[in-house]
Amino acid sequence: MTHRITCDADLEEGMAALRALHPDWGAIIERTGIPPLRRREGGFAGIAAIIVSQQLSVASARAVMARVESVFGKLTPDRILAATDDEMRLSGLSRPKQRTMRAVAAAIASRQLDLEALETATPEQVHALMTAVSGIGPWTADIYLLFCLGHRDGFAPGDLAIQEAARVAFGLPARPKATELEALAEGWRPWRGVAARLLWAYYAALKAREGVNA
């Protein structure tokens, strides 16, 4: 059995496993169908894209990423470490994101953060390795784990969209906190990566319905 989610067949295998766990998953799947795979480039470029997207809309993140790439060209640790303050300013990155980008570049260059080791690490190990770098929080590590590494058991309990989707889908009295959602998701192992994608797709369906009703 694969430890990666690489195609729709992997998603379907996970969806079948989740559906067998609880009827609520069947209702979610009926609403969402097969969720988007959402795989993306890994390595430093992948981490950089996640850093850029933090707390931004999709459109805003794309605009900033375009500016970053126009200033730096190919994103590599060496290029970021050699960047001037003026280049950082022109890139459109906020000061905190500039610091994080430089910290990640330095960690990779010094091998403090071993990208190859992340490829075979457990979700817990990926978290520990990535969050040891200044500026990388749990959400960034989760998104890298889910979409750059494609780990089938990655999850993102701190993501607000997933929390809200879980609240509605499972009839919870309030939006669960990250620790509460993480505890709930323990029962979804080893397919938490599929669960996360389904909940994101479910949230998108909820927002679309709200848009129609508005």
Side-chain angles (χ1 to χ4, degrees), residues 156-182 184 203 206-207 210:
D159 186 88
L160 294 180
I162 287 185
Q163 291 173 0
E164 181 62 14
R167 181 190 71 79
V168 176
F170 299 109
L172 304 178
R175 181 190 295 169
K177 297 178 181 177
T179 53
E180 295 168 338
L181 186 54
E182 191 167 21
L184 178 64
Y203 180 78
L206 292 174
K207 299 309 289 183
E210 290 176 7

Side-chain angles (χ1 to χ4, degrees), residues 15 25 28 53 59 75 107 119 134 137 159 164 189-191 196 199 214:
M15 289 162 66
W25 280 112
I28 292 169
S53 70
L75 284 173
E119 294 286 334
S134 177
D159 186 88
E164 181 62 14
R189 288 182 184 270
W191 290 106
L199 289 172

Side-chain angles (χ1 to χ4, degrees), residues 31-109:
R31 183 74 176 273
T32 65
I34 299 176
L37 196 59
R38 298 177 69 169
R39 289 298 303 273
R40 59 171 68 173
E41 180 182 4
F44 178 71
I47 298 175
I50 296 169
I51 293 169
V52 167
S53 70
Q54 290 171 353
Q55 299 179 320
L56 293 178
S57 68
V58 172
S60 295
R62 285 175 178 163
V64 174
M65 197 64 196
R67 287 183 62 181
V68 169
E69 291 175 340
S70 71
V71 171
F72 300 118
K74 185 176 181 181
L75 284 173
T76 66
D78 288 345
R79 179 67 184 90
I80 293 300
L81 291 174
T84 65
D85 290 342
D86 281 344
E87 285 178 320
M88 281 293 188
R89 178 179 54 78
L90 289 170
S91 72
L93 292 170
S94 66
R95 288 293 181 89
K97 290 183 180 182
Q98 292 176 30
R99 290 193 292 269
T100 299
M101 200 80 80
R102 281 175 161 151
V104 172
I108 293 173

Side-chain angles (χ1 to χ4, degrees), residues 1-20:
M1 185 180 291
T2 179
H3 291 283
R4 300 296 179 96
I5 297 172
T6 61
C7 60
D8 283 355
D10 295 333
L11 291 172
E12 289 172 338
E13 182 181 353
M15 289 162 66
L18 291 169
R19 191 192 289 267

